Amino acid sequence: MTSPERDPHPTEDPTGAPVEQPVGEEPTAGQPRRSGLRNPERAVRGLGAGTLSLEALVLLLAIQPIRVVGGDLGGAAIGAVVALAVAAVLLAGMMRRQWAWNAGTVLQGLLLLGGLLHWSLLGLGIIFALVWAYALHVRRVILG
């Protein structure tokens, strides 16, 4: 005995009651669009933390090549790079707090100001400011 074929997305159950719209389909008028993530806040926090962690790693790994190629990276500039990397790691661990996103934006501005110490820090600042802007965009789209 075979069962009758079912509509994969019924609008009513067998009793005639309306069925909720499955995730991934377009919402009807007046309903907010769902992201499809199980925990959107956690996903966005992970994006922010990952971005800041990657920034810290790149900053620390960039010290020696900048010293060798650029030659002008002094003790103050190295200290500033290390301080920015430490701040990025600390902020990555605090992404649950609302203010951490604003502090991450300030961190990008400080890295851009690091361009006054060495031109390559300005280049890194521009790259990571763009990446951070994209992370903020994704946060706004997912969380609304």
Side-chain angles (χ1 to χ4, degrees):
M1 185 182 234
T2 62
S3 62
E5 291 197 27
R6 295 182 185 171
D7 183 9
H9 303 294
T11 55
E12 295 180 345
D13 69 2
T15 63
V19 175
E20 286 188 46
Q21 186 177 15
V23 174
E25 290 189 11
E26 291 299 318
T28 59
Q31 291 181 340
R33 183 173 166 214
R34 294 189 44 157
S35 67
L37 298 169
R38 289 185 185 180
N39 189 344
E41 291 86 11
R42 185 175 179 192
V44 170
R45 283 195 314 262
L47 173 65
T51 300
L52 290 170
S53 298
L54 180 65
E55 181 174 356
L57 181 66
V58 168
L59 284 172
L60 291 176
L61 290 176
I63 292 174
Q64 186 61 21
I66 291 172
R67 285 184 57 218
V68 170
V69 174
D72 294 2
L73 195 64
I78 292 173
V81 170
V82 170
L84 288 171
V86 168
V89 168
L90 292 174
L91 283 174
M94 293 187 207
M95 290 310 293
R96 288 188 178 190
R97 295 178 170 63
Q98 185 67 28
W99 57 264
W101 288 93
N102 295 329
T105 303
V106 170
L107 182 73
Q108 306 314 312
L110 291 174
L111 182 55
L112 286 169
L113 285 176
L116 297 173
L117 299 171
H118 196 272
W119 62 268
S120 60
L121 294 178
L122 176 65
L124 287 175
I126 291 170
I127 291 168
F128 280 108
L130 291 172
V131 171
W132 188 252
Y134 180 70
L136 290 173
H137 169 73
V138 169
R139 178 179 181 239
R140 188 180 72 241
V141 168
I142 290 178
L143 299 181

